[in-house]
Amino acid sequence: MIDVLDGPAAIAIADELGPLYAASFGPEEDTDRFTTETLPKHAARADFRLVAVRQDGPLVGFAYGYTGERGQWWPERVVEAVGAELAAEWVGGHFEVVELAVHPEAQRQGLGTALMTELMRDLPHRRALLGTDVDDGPAPRLYRRLGWQLLYPDLGWGSALYGLDKGVPETS
Ligand SMILES: CC(C)(COP(=O)(O)OP(=O)(O)OC[C@H]1O[C@@H](n2cnc3c(N)ncnc32)[C@H](O)[C@@H]1OP(=O)(O)O)[C@@H](O)C(=O)NCCC(=O)NCCS
């Protein structure tokens, strides 16, 4: 079962998220910085939501995002990279998917797909953005299967920009 957590609830499980982050992204990643700086900063942002999945107790996967705005670090880097036209259409007020991670021993069971589906469920945002590997690995394949489109192949730091556009809701 997937839990949906708000900012305070996500910070409350930071001691579980840290080891999972390290196991999924690799020991070279700065896990302390993730749990003590990045996560608390992001957890305070508008519409923050973290989804987490457990198997027989231990946490084995999580994903999170929030509303991204101009002036924040990542959107500004994206604007610089992609140019004015694409930026005007996509950047600012979008839902920003920041992390998706599944423990290596729990991968290829559909958990990553289930986490992304739950993270995006019933969001009011028309558009969503994320950065992922430029190589065609499991993550970009997963996003494309869920309807995300490649917007920009290389932002300049080994990351490709993907977007999801839900379109304008129909009015009757
Ligand atoms: C990307 C990531 C989150 C995917 O998680 P996952 O739980 O393995 O995702 P899924 O199981 O939904 O799908 C992955 C693959 O398993 C396959 N799969 C799903 N259920 C399966 C099952 N029951 N049996 C066999 N294969 C299955 C999917 O078809 C998919 O195949 P593909 O890679 O060939 O397209 C995971 O690989 C990860 O944490 N990677 C490291 C961190 C990372 O890169 N995060 C993304 C940052 S942008």
Side-chain angles (χ1 to χ4, degrees):
M1 199 191 99
I2 296 178
D3 295 319
V4 183
L5 309 181
D6 63 10
I11 290 170
I13 60 161
D15 59 339
E16 292 181 276
L17 292 169
L20 178 52
Y21 180 90
S24 306
F25 288 101
E28 69 281 5
E29 294 295 326
D30 192 341
T31 303
D32 282 348
R33 183 161 181 228
F34 170 67
T35 51
T36 61
E37 288 181 38
T38 311
L39 180 66
K41 182 172 72 183
H42 289 171
R45 290 195 172 157
D47 307 312
F48 175 91
R49 144 191 312 194
L50 183 143
V51 292
V53 62
R54 297 178 181 278
Q55 272 182 344
D56 301 325
L59 201 65
V60 293
F62 74 99
Y64 78 79
Y66 47 74
T67 300
E69 298 291 0
R70 296 285 183 110
Q72 293 170 350
W73 188 84
W74 189 78
E76 288 305 314
R77 301 289 82 70
V78 170
V79 171
E80 285 168 14
V82 303
E85 199 175 327
L86 203 154
E89 191 182 348
W90 283 90
V91 184
H94 57 279
F95 187 76
E96 197 164 302
V97 175
V98 181
E99 301 291 2
L100 167 67
V102 173
H103 193 285
E105 289 175 13
Q107 290 175 7
R108 301 190 66 82
Q109 301 172 21
L111 294 180
T113 303
L115 284 166
M116 273 304 287
T117 303
E118 197 57 40
L119 182 66
M120 303 303 294
R121 190 182 300 284
D122 297 332
L123 284 176
H125 309 67
R126 171 171 174 176
R127 294 192 175 90
L129 288 175
L130 62 81
T132 188
D133 304 334
V134 292
D135 300 334
D136 197 32
R141 286 200 297 272
L142 186 159
Y143 300 132
R144 287 202 301 273
R145 269 201 307 279
L146 293 176
W148 292 71
Q149 54 173 308
L150 178 64
L151 295 180
Y152 204 78
D154 190 348
L155 290 165
W157 57 89
S159 188
L161 182 68
Y162 276 73
L164 184 72
D165 186 347
K166 292 193 286 187
V168 180
E170 283 183 31
T171 51
S172 53

